[in-house]
Amino acid sequence: MTSTRPRRRTLLRAAPLALATGALTPVLASCTRASERLDAESNAVPEVDLSGIEEVPEISALVPADIRARGELVNGAALNYAPGEFVGSSGRAIGYDIDILAGIGAVLGLATRTEAAVFAQIIPAVGSTYDVGMSSFTVNEERLAAVDMVSYFQAGISYAVKAGNPYDIHPDDLCGKRVALQVGTYQEELSIERSQECRDQGLGGYDMLAYASNSDAATNVAGGKGDILMADSPVTAYAVARSRGTLEPIGEIEESALNGIVVSKDQPELAEAIRVAVQHLIDDGHMERILAAWGNEAGMIPTAEVNPQP
């Protein structure tokens, strides 16, 4: 499939903004129904042991003096995107991004703290309110013009069907099929476009089943109401991992692109320290262990870069 990466990636992670209605004060204010339901299944929310990740002095020495003196790295994140970042039953931020951030902090000899934020307001506040923004930001040219970004993960669009694929569904042939997705996302927009293409060819359009959350969409595919789940690859992978064998992935990841940790352009030393810390997590196997716990090891990348080509 031909990638429309810059357009898609502006919309994709921004989609949950429809759920935000203003500034967030308590952490729970950014919790969505999807994250509440995910957290209710306590056996599906992993607790990753990060105790084996230790400070690496030659890496921690790269941290700017003011942050090193403070001893804490402050992150801004929109906590409505399970399994990347969402709200746990304790009211704390959890998810693979939060665990990776904690691992980075350990390597740098820093504590980490994540504050809930509206997604669109994170990047403008990095360098003042927040040291970094780690909230499933896709690397794209528009963002790179404003901030530095350190790559650490790769994501795209992916699919899942009921285990055994009883309806013989193929992602490249969805004309007339029941496609389950979350309302307001890029997947909904893309499905509308593809549905029109089906009709232009004299075929039936998509029978779109748009739900308030990806969790609802996944549940209805597992139960047979929908033919196929269409979502961001981290969301699909996590849905499959927690489905107790009722869902299985199908097809290839489409429009894959890098995710990056946002750092102010005024802090190149911090960006480099984070890059080296991420690479250490990759090389020592900690990154794979964290991502595997959340069902997303397929998003592993071999090399962390500052401002990679989108």
Side-chain angles (χ1 to χ4, degrees), residues 214-254:
N214 278 303
S215 181
D216 289 338
T219 297
N220 281 285
V221 171
K225 186 175 180 179
D227 292 325
I228 189 166
L229 170 68
M230 181 182 185
D232 292 354
S233 56
V235 174
T236 301
Y238 192 46
V240 170
R242 69 185 182 88
S243 73
R244 300 186 179 92
T246 59
L247 291 173
E248 67 179 50
I250 188 171
E252 301 296 325
I253 294 177
E254 300 175 358

